[in-house]
Amino acid sequence: MCGIVGYIGPRPCAGILVDGLRKLEYRGYDSAGLAVLDTRASVAGEPPRLDVVRAVGKLSRLDDALREHPLIGNVGIGHTRWATHGRPTEANAHPHLVGEVAVVHNGILENHVELRRELVAKGRKFASETDTEIAAHLIDIELANGASSLFEATRNALSRVRGAYAIAVVSRKEPDVVVVAKSFSPLVLGIGDGEMFAASDVPALLAHTRDIVFLEDGDIAELRRSGPKIQRLLVHGDGSPERFTVTPVVRTPRRVDWSPSQAEKLGYKHFMLKEIFEQPAAIENTLRGRVVLESSDVDGTEIGLGDDAVQRIRRVVLLACGTSHHAAIAGRNWIESLAKIPAQVELASEFRYRDAIVGEGDLVVAVSQSGETADTLAAVRDAKRQGAKILSIANVVGSAIPRASDAALYTHAGPEIGVASTKCFTAQLAALVLLSVWLGRRRGVLAPERAQRLLQGLVEVPSQMRAVLEQADACQRVARRQIYAPEARDCLFLGRGLSFPIALEGALKLKEISYVHAEGYAAGEMKHGPIALIDAQMPVVVVAPRDQHYEKIASNVQEVRARDGRVVAIVTAGDSSISAMAQDVIEIPEVDPELTPFLTVLPLQLLSYYAADLKGTDVDQPRNLAKTVTVE
Ligand code: F6R
């Protein structure tokens, strides 16, 4: 994972780089560091200095280190780390300085073992356990061997590595240049007025520019104050007379419509809480311009499938990881119930490593907030190779998964900074309902009256969400009483039908931010094992809105109560039977049974948030996690 930044321009860069890293801290926060070129000495004919400051822990530790050792200069690079190779120590923190070169890197160099062995045999000494230091050595060697520029040296060095990287390099030898390159890890450029920025993700640049270049895999760029020079590096396999070729490319900047304030907390204690409360607006943005009530239909232009192609779909395969996988499970149910197309959901991390069979007639729907998750991207590429059509549902415009797809339906939920996904989950749900209705209408299996009721219900969801969010205080009380309670060490989440993925999501949220062990289960599976866990200490959160599963789940609640389990029930307003059995009840408004997930997930997000906040964990940056998983 990790986040990288770079700057070249007229302004002192240390503050700009640290602010950029702060916006990327969600990508990793084990250690951080900066390398800055101080060119003041060159005025007096001396070579510029290249100073590095690094610190273990969060960015605040780097701030402290920079107060002790300020870095002065207008050209620099920075890094916030999620440890892959080597523990989070200062020696393993980036930037890595070798000779006259400093490097920051996000990704994994797969042939690091053989390269390190080769470099050690040549007498190279390593100061860290990281794969990144290998890249720094390779660039340093290229410069020593007479490469005409830092760009050329970096290009030659990168032609030797395999794997994923987003890399930024500076050198004392060429102090008016930052070289960056991308292969499988995300990297964007920000175009300023007489200044240039690079970063792993757009929010790091929003305070300075909204003109963004999304680099492609294989791009290598030389950044000068005046702008970027980009080339495409194509490394040939063994046996080719030339090891690689490069061709100049033009990448046109896109103006992104995210505002800098969207990447701020705006008075909320945590990004996660702000993002929970942003969900009604996020859904409005996902629906905007796509719901056409007049014709009981969805404008699916972006889905990019003609009528014939829609008729030819034999199966929909949804690919995703983590929270997005939970949205995909709900999506599968909607595609089957509304579009009557056989659908299956796959964990991308499993799909890509088995001999999964997809091909013509399959519509693969990749669901990813970041659009960069390595497993989902690899699964998409595999499905595409096999001839499937790929539609991605992503939040980050121009990210790798949409680029690898035939078409993209963006969720437009705005930047999500909290590591635990909330608003992007419900925005994904909205996109999946839109897709299902669109498919159902095109295939003639969804009656206009039913589509109309559903779309009308969807349009009303944001205001119903606002009503649920007004119960935040009640959720906080329940979190204190049931989950934060000292005797509650585990928690079970149960649901059926569309409430099953919501139970999974509730359990994942609780685990990841509060470190309370939680399991999400299909309530019908209880008797097949988990019921053994239930005792008077065990909180059981039951997602039981009024729908076709209500009576069945009411029986499950009885089974829990018969074993003294403590029940927190999420029910529809006016419910009496399950409410009567539960210790705590949180109500959602009456809604079309197909749309309950939008409302039932909100109390679960709030329960997790408040449980974590009561425990005092780091809600926005939970331990061991990073938001964008760009490694396998
Ligand atoms: C959990 C969470 C993760 C992501 C997963 C996939 O709150 O955020 O489980 O959902 O890493 O990420 P995307 O959606 O970016 O592909």
Side-chain angles (χ1 to χ4, degrees), residues 380-400:
V380 159
R381 288 186 168 142
D382 179 36
K384 195 158 189 198
R385 245 189 324 272
Q386 294 192 53
K389 275 254 168 272
I390 318 285
L391 170 70
S392 51
I393 293 182
N395 193 47
V396 179
V397 175
S399 51

Side-chain angles (χ1 to χ4, degrees), residues 153-227:
T154 307
R155 186 193 70 191
N156 295 354
L158 290 178
S159 74
R160 303 240 19 235
V161 306
R162 278 198 320 273
Y165 55 76
I167 199 166
V169 190
V170 289
S171 167
R172 290 174 73 204
K173 284 211 168 142
E174 216 175 335
D176 49 358
V177 157
V178 177
V179 175
V180 298
K182 161 179 166 53
S183 180
F184 299 111
S185 299
L187 190 61
V188 293
L189 306 180
I191 314 288
D193 189 7
E195 54 186 356
M196 284 288 307
F197 309 81
S200 299
D201 199 359
V202 174
L205 308 180
L206 289 176
H208 309 287
T209 178
R210 286 200 267 154
D211 293 322
I212 307 293
V213 173
F214 292 88
L215 292 178
E216 302 275 340
D217 288 335
D219 284 357
I220 172 165
E222 180 182 86
L223 312 184
R224 294 180 181 274
R225 284 173 174 218
S226 51

Side-chain angles (χ1 to χ4, degrees), residues 281-295 297-303 409-412 434 438 455 458-459:
I283 301 293
E284 281 160 357
N285 287 335
T286 310
L287 301 185
R288 183 159 299 121
R290 291 167 168 160
V291 173
V292 191
L293 286 174
E294 301 71 42
S295 54
D297 208 348
V298 166
D299 181 340
T301 319
E302 301 143 284
I303 298 168
L409 192 57
Y410 285 108
T411 44
H412 300 310
L434 292 177
W438 185 80
L455 291 173
L458 198 56
V459 169

Side-chain angles (χ1 to χ4, degrees), residues 252-270:
T252 314
R254 288 200 219 170
R255 180 145 265 256
V256 298
D257 58 5
W258 293 358
S259 72
S261 68
Q262 285 181 295
E264 303 294 339
K265 280 192 216 150
L266 300 180
Y268 284 92
K269 186 169 177 190
H270 294 102

